[in-house]
Structure formats: C-alpha cells, structure tokens
Amino acid sequence: MDFGVVLQTNPPAWRTVQLAKLSEAHGFDYLWTFDSHLLWQEPYVIYSAILAETKRIIVGPMVTNPATRDWTVTASVFATLNEMYGNRTVCGIGRGDSAVRVTNGKPSTLKEVREATHVIRELGNGRAVDYKGSTLRFPWTTTTSLEVWIAAYGPLALKAAGEVGDGFILQLADVDITAWMIQTVRDAAAGVGRDPDSLQFCIAAPMYVGDDWAHMREQCRWFGGMVGNHVADIVAKYGADGSVPQALTDYIKGREGYDYNEHGRAGNTHAEFVPDEIVDRFCVLGSVDDHVAKLKALQEVGVTQFAGYLQHDNKEETLRVYGESIIPQIRDHVTAKA
C-alpha cells in the first residue's frame, strides 16, 4: 500500500512546501492538494516548488475538474512539471465541487469527465489527441508520463472510473462502503475488457492519531459535511433507495445547507448534522493500533493507497507517528503476505 497526504494550499505557500517535505521525510509517497482556485492558492505553482525541494514524492490535485480549466492547459501543466522534475505527477479528476460551486457553476457531466480524462491523459503522455476538431500534440515533450485517476461516489461515476480511469479515488474510509465501491469499479473495468488489477484504488480520509476521541471527532467532523455534498447529489439523482449503500445516504437527512467559505475546515459550522458514528466510520482515528487495524482492513478489500487529510491541529505529530510507527507496520504486513 502506498501512502499520501492531502493538504489545502492555504497561505503562506512555504508552509505547504514544508509539510510536503516533511511528508516525504516520513515515508509518504504522494502529496495531494485541493484544487479550488478561489478558496485557496493556485496549487500548480506550489507543485513546482514542492518538486524542486523533494526527490521522490508524487504530486497532484484531489481533485481538479473539466470545468474551471481548459483541458489542454491542465495537460500542459503536468507535462511541463514532468519535463522539469521527472515523471512525478498524477492527475485526480472529478465532476467538480467547491471549485465550480463558489462561482455558481454546476459540476461537469460524466461525459465531460470521460472526455477530459482521455484528452489530458493522451497529451500528458506525449501522444496526439483529437480535441475540438483538431489533432493536437505537445511538440516539446518526449518523456512525460501521466496517469489520470477519477474520483467517484455514484453508480455512473464509478462505472466511468472503471472504464476509463487509471485509478479510482474514494473520499471516505468506511471499510464496507469501500469494498462495495471498489468491486463496482473493478466490475466496470472487466466489463470493457480492462484488467481490474491494473487500476489504482486510493482511499482518502482524515487521519488523526490520538486518544481524545471527542477532540479528534470535532477536528474531523468537517469531512462528513464535505462528503455529504456529493452524497446529496447522488440522492437527488437516484433517490435514497437507489443502488448506493444505505450507510452512505442515511446520515445526510439532517443536512440543511453548506457554506463553501468553511469548506474542508475543522470546526465547520455546517457539519453539525454529521453524527459521531459517521466521523468514526469515514475517518481514520485513534491509537496506532486503531490506525493499523483499519488500514489493514482497507488493504484487504483492495485499497492500494491511503491518502490522509491533515486539516486539523495535529499535523506534524500525525506525520511523525505515521512515519515511525504506522507505515512500517503496513509495509511489513505486505512483505509478510508476499
């Protein structure tokens, strides 16, 4: 299992770079950031600084979308970073949430997600692609390599992830829901003749190491509110009794609204509807043993990367404990099984 860290690009930018360097030092493989150009600083500029000051960590957005950036510009950014620093980027993409909603826009269609995935991946790998009636290719790159991973919750989005994505991103760490969604993606991949084992399966959720459960829950309750935005869209489309696990839909019944100015922040006042049970199920909290047990359970259902959000008050200590006590146990677990 690989390990990632998910950050917001809050100012000052050097703080994000510092946390990225610390993440690499503690053994993390990926550094992801939010991609909402109005709410936070421009991530792609900061990626360049991160890549310049690290040696192996891979960077990318969790997640970008087809609406706020031209697809060829997105591909050019990744190809340029790869040419400058080696192939150390990954593109996470979805329909769009905070980046489009704060401008009163709407999430992209899944057709657009599929098409954008193809265009970004082809250009990002130095290949020619048809785009708006023209055949395009970057003439200046020969070595760039890029994977595009699709973030999804609903049945049709999961189908798209399996059929056209290089990987699947799920933003919650409930073991039962994860198992159902990974299998859905794998079935979709197999249905179009793809090898399901060739896909990456990334689970992203807050990670907080500690013993004060009340405090940890309050620091991470925002995550249930963020996930609730996507679940609300699914319920609106499919109904609460659709082909989505009931555990994922029941908790949003008390949801009354959401303020994107508090998006992804500890203490978010618009996440009060999220019960403790959901916080515990969706996040990875508790002692070292609690983390190791949950990560092993996620690994058993097919997770290939756990990416931990650090939007709380215990960033450096969480990274330290993961690097010294948690990541080695999971790596040893894999070696022992092999």
Side-chain angles (χ1 to χ4, degrees), residues 62-141:
M62 187 178 283
V63 293
T64 193
N65 67 83
T68 55
R69 304 177 191 272
D70 182 272
W71 308 346
T72 62
V73 173
T74 297
S76 182
V77 169
F78 286 110
T80 301
L81 291 172
N82 285 339
E83 288 288 321
M84 291 176 67
Y85 302 108
N87 292 315
R88 293 167 54 201
T89 66
V90 61
C91 179
I93 194 168
R95 295 181 60 215
D97 183 30
S98 59
V100 296
R101 296 187 199 268
V102 293
T103 57
N104 294 319
K106 294 182 179 179
S108 302
T109 67
L110 286 172
K111 181 176 184 292
E112 290 169 331
V113 172
R114 286 173 176 266
E115 291 174 350
T117 295
H118 175 68
V119 169
I120 293 168
R121 179 168 51 217
E122 294 306 293
L123 291 174
N125 282 281
R127 298 189 289 262
V129 66
D130 291 332
Y131 180 67
K132 294 184 178 180
S134 298
T135 300
L136 306 178
R137 183 182 178 278
F138 297 139
W140 42 265
T141 182

Side-chain angles (χ1 to χ4, degrees), residues 38-60:
L38 288 172
L39 296 179
W40 301 287
Q41 292 181 322
E42 175 58 38
Y44 297 105
V45 176
I46 297 173
Y47 292 163
S48 191
I50 291 171
L51 291 168
E53 296 196 30
T54 55
K55 295 180 178 179
R56 61 173 184 80
I57 205 161
I58 296 169
V59 303

Side-chain angles (χ1 to χ4, degrees), residues 170 172 174-182 245 247-248 281-282:
L170 173 61
L172 59 82
D174 179 271
V175 176
D176 293 335
I177 294 173
T178 296
W180 179 85
M181 291 198 173
I182 285 180
L248 188 58
R281 291 183 65 171
F282 283 14

Side-chain angles (χ1 to χ4, degrees), residues 239-275:
D241 298 323
S243 55
V244 177
Q246 187 174 350
L248 188 58
T249 60
D250 278 353
Y251 85 98
I252 68 161
K253 293 176 182 177
R255 180 179 181 271
E256 296 181 351
Y258 194 81
D259 182 355
Y260 278 93
N261 290 311
E262 296 184 313
H263 188 59
R265 296 182 182 178
N268 185 334
T269 59
H270 292 80
E272 295 173 351
F273 71 94
V274 181

Side-chain angles (χ1 to χ4, degrees), residues 161-172:
E163 291 180 350
V164 302
D166 296 306
F168 163 54
I169 296 171
L170 173 61
Q171 290 162 309
L172 59 82

